[in-house]
Amino acid sequence: MVSSSGPDSARRVTIHDVARSAGVSRQTVSRALNGKDEIERSTKQRVLDAARELGYRPSRFARGLVRQDTTTIGLVIPDLRNPFFTEVAASALECARARGWHVVVYDTADRPAEELGTLQVIGSQVDGVVGYFSCAEDELDRYTRGMPLVLIGREHRMARFSSIRIDGQEGVREAVAHLVAKGHTMIGMLDHDNRAEPSLRREWFTAAALGHGIDPGRVAGAEQSADGGGAGLRALLAAHPEITAVFTFNDIVAVGALREARRLGRSVPADLAVIGFDGLQLGALMEPPLSSVALDTHRLGSLAVEQVGRLLTGADPLPPEDLEVRAVLRPAGSS
Amino acid sequence: MVSSSGPDSARRVTIHDVARSAGVSRQTVSRALNGKDEIERSTKQRVLDAARELGYRPSRFARGLVRQDTTTIGLVIPDLRNPFFTEVAASALECARARGWHVVVYDTADRPAEELGTLQVIGSQVDGVVGYFSCAEDELDRYTRGMPLVLIGREHRMARFSSIRIDGQEGVREAVAHLVAKGHTMIGMLDHDNRAEPSLRREWFTAAALGHGIDPGRVAGAEQSADGGGAGLRALLAAHPEITAVFTFNDIVAVGALREARRLGRSVPADLAVIGFDGLQLGALMEPPLSSVALDTHRLGSLAVEQVGRLLTGADPLPPEDLEVRAVLRPAGSS
DNA sequence: TTGAAAGCGGTACCAA
DNA sequence: TTGGTACCGCTTTCAA
């Protein structure tokens, strides 16, 4: 039975309380708890009992303060439920774990407005940040105040930052060439919808299409989800009924388009060829399996963690040419 | 140009260094950095410049030590790439964010051996833990030393722990009844494969099958992945070719079974009905859409976070009867 | 508006 | 084997 002394204030139980309760000094408590040798069995037991009795738990801050060894990195992603980010996150976790680092994950729920709030909050919780951001660089700068930051899938200008480039130019070219080889000339695209500027992927698509003398203007926006892909495909086909093939911003959207095509009675790939982007494992489960301009998500996550680690420790950062992930076409049943 | 004083030791830049560099006291630096009012503009700017120059970043430990407000919870899951855990994790993140808490995610890579190591490491990094564990309770106890721990999908005996129960009994009964109503009498199951003891889900299946006078013995094990589901289905059909319907341990396995059935030339649901467990969003993308005994993963994640929060703050914990998530049958095209 | 001093809760290094 | 003391880096009184 623990007799609570005084009014039961919710004060934190400190090492001091345990020491007093066990009738020893704080250092002895520390020794007992950390399994040091220089302590008598009986004393140790007494301390351990007292600690348990009082429900004592060492403060991670106090501990971290004195032995400054733990590294924690923040991972910021727009939507953990999107399998692409899941894969990146899983790789990042894996890579961090191998180094004994901790990862705090923040999901901005696809709301760019959340990014800055997250950064602010993250600031005092992690040693470095890795992730996807859509806000302006000077804002990132203001909210990270000197903390290493590695951007994924986005260029950076400020020297303080680092970024992992996604180079899909060649992969998208392959995709379009592949479609052309199959006889397609009316190729549409389902792009991003929530940004003012057209996506890089769209630029790649445009360049590739023009290279084959194909009109790159058959584009519709789609929300980043399977349902969004379905709706997008309907809109695209309504505007451009002549389309026989479609390239999408990513696999999730492609999967939705695939399903929608089926609902519209168009068989894939006979009536409509579909090629996604990302190369998610999910694509292989579809019927037909999804063709995709595939990214090595594992490499993406690892590179980001590796780089933030180097920035953190002051080691030589990886040179820009190594900080790049190339996408390659992985053709499958859908095209 | 920053002239590094002395040999360039990688010592940490502290508030003291900034203070000296700016010619003010530490407190003034603190004020400037934390945007307090009681400071002259010019002083503030000078301090900020010095801080930037030196690449100063406040220690999160020192800061946390003095203003003890941040709460961090650890989320331990076997495999972030498994969409079920992704959904749980996403919900937990969401719920934690709403409370201003941070979540450190640990992926044990499906290796039970990693659990204890993770717990040990986690111990000094978080205030409470939520997650999936397969190791024995006394081990959990030993490695968490007084830290609140909420187990998901697993019973607990020790009073220190709390757990979120998954009750699928009724849902599985519905599933079997549904299959029986469709005329199936030869119903198999693809169970877990990596545990000695049969799963709870299998027990539910057995009870439900017996309730309809159906032989519950047509069971094969499957690895927790789509490929595992495929292989499992082959094994199951080889041993019991008479089977016309199959219930699986979870949706991932079901998805693999679905794909394998197609490859074997069995059409679903005509030749083989398939019902999964979990109710993943993924199931809706399949062709045909997957029937599933669905769990409210969102509730699962939220409950766990809510409960660990109560344990943490000393608020009244939720009573056991509220800590339960019931599964219900969500029939779709595959059955 | 600024600075001095006192902790926050631990651990490490000594001396006892 | 133990305890005293000096920090770890920062914020919060309280005086100046």
Side-chain angles (χ1 to χ4, degrees), chain B residues 76 78 108 110-116 119 131-137 139-140 151-152 154 192 194-195 197:
Chain B
V76 180
T108 53
D110 251 331
R111 283 192 296 268
E114 295 278 355
E115 292 179 11
L116 295 180
L119 275 176
Y132 282 81
F133 293 92
S134 57
C135 59
E137 267 190 62
E139 294 204 289
L140 289 178
L151 271 17
I152 306 182
R154 158 174 179 175
H192 226 214
N194 59 1
R195 293 216 205 134
E197 48 190 322

Side-chain angles (χ1 to χ4, degrees), chain A residues 221-232:
Chain A
E223 194 204 312
Q224 301 300 293
S225 67
D227 288 342

Side-chain angles (χ1 to χ4, degrees), chain B residues 55-304:
Chain B
Y56 168 73
R57 290 207 326 106
S59 148
R60 65 172 191 279
F61 294 114
R63 196 172 252 178
L65 189 53
V66 59
R67 13 177 243 238
Q68 351 215 141
D69 40 7
T70 47
T71 297
T72 302
I73 79 163
L75 173 65
V76 180
I77 51 177
D79 179 16
L80 190 60
R81 287 188 170 91
N82 178 326
F84 175 71
F85 297 116
T86 308
E87 291 191 13
V88 174
S91 310
L93 288 184
E94 208 174 310
C95 183
R97 159 177 283 260
R99 291 169 165 68
W101 297 346
H102 304 268
V103 178
V104 188
V105 180
Y106 299 86
D107 184 326
T108 53
D110 251 331
R111 283 192 296 268
E114 295 278 355
E115 292 179 11
L116 295 180
T118 300
L119 275 176
Q120 190 152 26
V121 142
I122 231 177
S124 51
Q125 286 292 310
V126 303
D127 303 307
V129 176
V130 154
Y132 282 81
F133 293 92
S134 57
C135 59
E137 267 190 62
D138 57 342
E139 294 204 289
L140 289 178
D141 181 49
R142 196 168 331 128
Y143 282 83
T144 51
R145 254 220 296 264
M147 186 162 41
L149 175 61
V150 175
L151 271 17
I152 306 182
R154 158 174 179 175
E155 308 286 328
H156 70 283
R157 270 157 256 292
M158 295 196 182
R160 256 197 55 213
F161 299 145
S162 191
S163 57
I164 314 295
R165 283 189 56 211
I166 292 179
D167 184 359
Q169 176 122 37
E170 185 51 31
V172 172
R173 203 195 320 262
E174 287 172 17
V176 170
H178 166 85
L179 290 173
V180 168
K182 297 271 182 181
H184 298 277
T185 54
M186 306 298 182
I187 307 177
M189 173 173 180
L190 285 178
D191 194 18
H192 226 214
D193 73 336
N194 59 1
R195 293 216 205 134
E197 48 190 322
S199 66
L200 258 183
R201 298 180 193 186
R202 170 149 178 208
E203 289 179 22
W204 296 330
F205 170 71
T206 300
L210 290 176
H212 288 275
I214 288 177
D215 174 7
R218 301 184 177 92
V219 178
E223 193 203 313
Q224 303 298 293
S225 66
D227 289 342
L233 182 65
R234 271 200 312 280
L236 185 62
L237 289 177
H240 308 282
E242 72 280 12
I243 284 176
T244 60
V246 59
F247 167 64
T248 68
F249 181 82
N250 66 19
D251 281 356
I252 292 300
V253 167
V255 161
L258 221 55
R259 187 178 52 174
E260 189 64 25
R262 214 159 39 217
R263 287 182 183 160
L264 294 173
R266 294 213 183 203
S267 95
V268 175
D271 303 334
L272 184 76
V274 178
I275 301 187
F277 191 105
D278 279 349
L280 300 186
Q281 294 169 9
L282 170 67
L285 302 177
M286 295 297 117
E287 175 59 25
L290 182 65
S291 298
S292 186
V293 178
L295 235 34
D296 185 343
T297 51
H298 191 270
R299 181 139 183 276
L300 210 52
S302 316
L303 271 182

